[in-house]
Amino acid sequence: MRCSLCNSCLDSHTHLFFNCNYAERIWSALKRKIFATDLPLNWEDLVNAMATRFKNRNIRSVVSKIVFGAGVYYIWQERKKRHFTSEKRPAEDLLETILESVKTRLMSIRVINSPHVNNVAKEWDIKFHNVHSSKTMLNTVQ
Ligand SMILES: [Zn+2]
């Protein structure tokens, strides 16, 4: 069975997220976007690396988790779609969709006004809609 994204290799879960040519282009762009180009791309190592590196509830960790969640979701969705329709989105288009969805998601999270938060806003060219000045708020990211 061939992968519906890159049409070249065996279709498996590991392949889809970590060995697929199509998915790989998206993952490398996403890793650059979160300054984590050294993150491994095999499932076990990645899960371990994510768990240790992004365990704190700071803005960088939250952004990274959102980015990976969106990557997994959209790549999976594209693959599924190709099984049922003839539509094929190029990797660049899918990447654009993923980045837009991350921006939308980011704008809605509760953040504390801090230099880190401001840097992330600049990098992603967004404005946070839910900014607080106090650390006593629950579920607030700084
Ligand atoms: Zn593939």
Side-chain angles (χ1 to χ4, degrees):
M1 217 171 125
R2 277 169 185 277
C3 168
S4 64
L5 294 172
C6 63
N7 196 34
S8 66
C9 6
L10 189 71
D11 194 6
S12 72
H13 199 248
T14 313
H15 166 77
L16 180 58
F17 292 114
F18 306 106
N19 308 123
C20 177
N21 209 304
Y22 180 98
E24 207 279 328
R25 280 155 71 194
I26 291 172
W27 286 126
S28 13
L30 292 178
K31 288 200 295 182
R32 276 198 303 277
K33 190 77 190 164
I34 59 167
F35 308 105
T37 47
D38 60 320
L39 271 185
L41 274 190
N42 69 71
W43 185 249
E44 207 172 308
D45 292 348
L46 177 67
V47 170
N48 287 335
M50 296 272 296
T52 48
R53 200 182 303 193
F54 304 131
K55 67 168 184 261
N56 297 323
R57 220 184 135 63
N58 60 49
I59 188 71
R60 296 265 172 222
S61 298
V62 171
V63 170
S64 302
K65 284 182 211 154
I66 292 174
V67 164
F68 271 87
V72 168
Y73 174 81
Y74 280 99
I75 292 171
W76 184 259
Q77 201 196 45
E78 176 67 14
R79 172 185 176 271
K80 214 170 68 183
K81 212 163 115 199
R82 289 182 183 208
H83 285 168
F84 299 107
T85 70
S86 54
E87 260 179 78
K88 286 181 181 177
R89 272 184 291 185
E92 295 70 29
D93 290 7
L94 193 69
L95 177 63
E96 216 36 62
T97 304
I98 294 170
L99 294 176
E100 280 309 311
S101 86
V102 170
K103 285 185 183 189
T104 306
R105 179 92 177 71
L106 281 180
M107 285 192 275
S108 72
I109 62 173
R110 304 164 87 140
V111 294
I112 292 169
N113 199 357
S114 78
H116 297 299
V117 164
N118 292 332
N119 284 339
V120 167
K122 264 184 229 145
E123 284 159 28
W124 286 84
D125 192 26
I126 56 160
K127 264 196 163 65
F128 287 105
H129 294 325
N130 208 342
V131 183
H132 300 271
S133 52
S134 154
K135 293 186 182 181
T136 56
M137 297 280 302
L138 281 175
N139 296 320
T140 308
V141 179
Q142 56 186 309

